[in-house]
Amino acid sequence: MSKKQSWKPGNMLYPLPAVMVSCKSKKTDRPDIVTVAWAGTICSDPAMVSISVRPSRYSHDIIKESREFVINLVAEDLTRKC
Protein backbone atom coordinates (compact mmCIF):
# COMPACT_ATOMS: atom_id res chain seq x y z
CA MET A 1 0.00 0.00 0.00
CA SER A 2 1.25 3.45 -0.91
CA LYS A 3 1.68 6.30 1.52
CA LYS A 4 -0.58 9.31 0.88
CA GLN A 5 1.27 12.28 -0.59
CA SER A 6 0.41 15.98 -0.41
CA TRP A 7 1.67 18.29 -3.15
CA LYS A 8 1.78 22.06 -3.25
CA PRO A 9 -0.22 23.73 -6.04
CA GLY A 10 1.80 23.91 -9.21
CA ASN A 11 2.43 22.24 -12.50
CA MET A 12 2.30 18.77 -10.98
CA LEU A 13 0.61 17.13 -13.95
CA TYR A 14 3.45 17.70 -16.41
CA PRO A 15 4.36 15.68 -18.34
CA LEU A 16 0.82 14.45 -18.85
CA PRO A 17 0.40 11.17 -16.96
CA ALA A 18 -2.57 8.85 -17.23
CA VAL A 19 -4.90 9.47 -14.29
CA MET A 20 -7.98 7.81 -12.86
CA VAL A 21 -11.01 10.14 -12.85
CA SER A 22 -13.80 9.24 -10.46
CA CYS A 23 -17.32 10.62 -10.41
CA LYS A 24 -20.74 9.72 -9.07
CA SER A 25 -24.17 10.08 -10.61
CA LYS A 26 -26.55 12.18 -8.52
CA LYS A 27 -29.54 10.52 -10.22
CA THR A 28 -28.60 6.88 -9.65
CA ASP A 29 -25.98 7.33 -6.89
CA ARG A 30 -23.77 5.04 -9.01
CA PRO A 31 -20.00 5.73 -8.82
CA ASP A 32 -17.73 5.38 -11.85
CA ILE A 33 -14.04 5.66 -12.60
CA VAL A 34 -12.36 6.09 -15.97
CA THR A 35 -8.74 6.15 -17.06
CA VAL A 36 -7.91 9.45 -18.74
CA ALA A 37 -4.72 10.16 -20.69
CA TRP A 38 -5.53 13.82 -21.35
CA ALA A 39 -5.24 15.80 -18.13
CA GLY A 40 -3.34 18.99 -17.60
CA THR A 41 -2.82 22.02 -15.44
CA ILE A 42 -4.67 25.17 -16.48
CA CYS A 43 -3.70 27.38 -13.54
CA SER A 44 -1.78 26.95 -10.30
CA ASP A 45 -3.41 29.77 -8.31
CA PRO A 46 -6.18 28.80 -7.91
CA ALA A 47 -5.37 25.21 -8.74
CA MET A 48 -7.33 24.23 -11.88
CA VAL A 49 -6.98 21.24 -14.18
CA SER A 50 -8.52 20.08 -17.43
CA ILE A 51 -9.48 16.59 -18.55
CA SER A 52 -10.79 15.13 -21.77
CA VAL A 53 -13.41 12.37 -21.64
CA ARG A 54 -15.03 10.92 -24.76
CA PRO A 55 -18.79 11.52 -25.01
CA SER A 56 -19.27 7.75 -25.44
CA ARG A 57 -17.94 7.07 -21.92
CA TYR A 58 -20.43 6.57 -19.10
CA SER A 59 -18.47 9.09 -17.00
CA HIS A 60 -18.92 11.84 -19.59
CA ASP A 61 -22.65 12.30 -18.90
CA ILE A 62 -22.13 12.08 -15.14
CA ILE A 63 -19.48 14.80 -15.18
CA LYS A 64 -21.49 16.95 -17.56
CA GLU A 65 -24.56 16.70 -15.30
CA SER A 66 -22.85 17.02 -11.91
CA ARG A 67 -19.98 19.30 -12.99
CA GLU A 68 -17.85 17.42 -10.45
CA PHE A 69 -15.03 14.88 -10.68
CA VAL A 70 -11.92 13.80 -8.80
CA ILE A 71 -8.54 13.28 -10.42
CA ASN A 72 -6.67 10.41 -8.81
CA LEU A 73 -2.92 10.40 -9.41
CA VAL A 74 -1.72 6.83 -9.15
CA ALA A 75 1.27 5.72 -7.15
CA GLU A 76 4.29 4.27 -8.90
CA ASP A 77 3.19 0.67 -8.27
CA LEU A 78 -0.10 1.28 -10.13
CA THR A 79 1.30 3.20 -13.10
CA ARG A 80 1.44 0.22 -15.49
CA LYS A 81 -2.03 -0.98 -14.48
CA CYS A 82 -3.47 2.49 -15.01
Side-chain angles (χ1 to χ4, degrees):
M1 179 165 295
S2 300
K3 183 180 176 183
K4 183 176 179 178
Q5 298 177 9
S6 295
W7 295 339
K8 294 179 183 177
N11 202 12
M12 65 184 171
L13 294 180
Y14 185 82
L16 306 173
V19 296
M20 304 299 286
V21 174
S22 54
C23 56
K24 186 173 171 184
S25 173
K26 292 181 179 183
K27 292 178 183 175
T28 64
D29 207 35
R30 178 180 166 192
D32 195 52
I33 191 162
V34 62
T35 304
V36 174
W38 294 99
T41 303
I42 296 175
C43 184
S44 60
D45 188 20
M48 296 185 343
V49 297
S50 66
I51 62 170
S52 181
V53 179
R54 289 179 186 229
S56 60
R57 298 289 185 188
Y58 177 70
S59 296
H60 182 273
D61 289 337
I62 294 173
I63 294 169
K64 188 174 179 181
E65 170 222 325
S66 69
R67 300 177 56 101
E68 296 177 357
F69 60 90
V70 176
I71 294 178
N72 305 277
L73 302 173
V74 298
E76 185 176 347
D77 59 331
L78 290 177
T79 302
R80 285 201 176 278
K81 292 176 184 175
C82 177

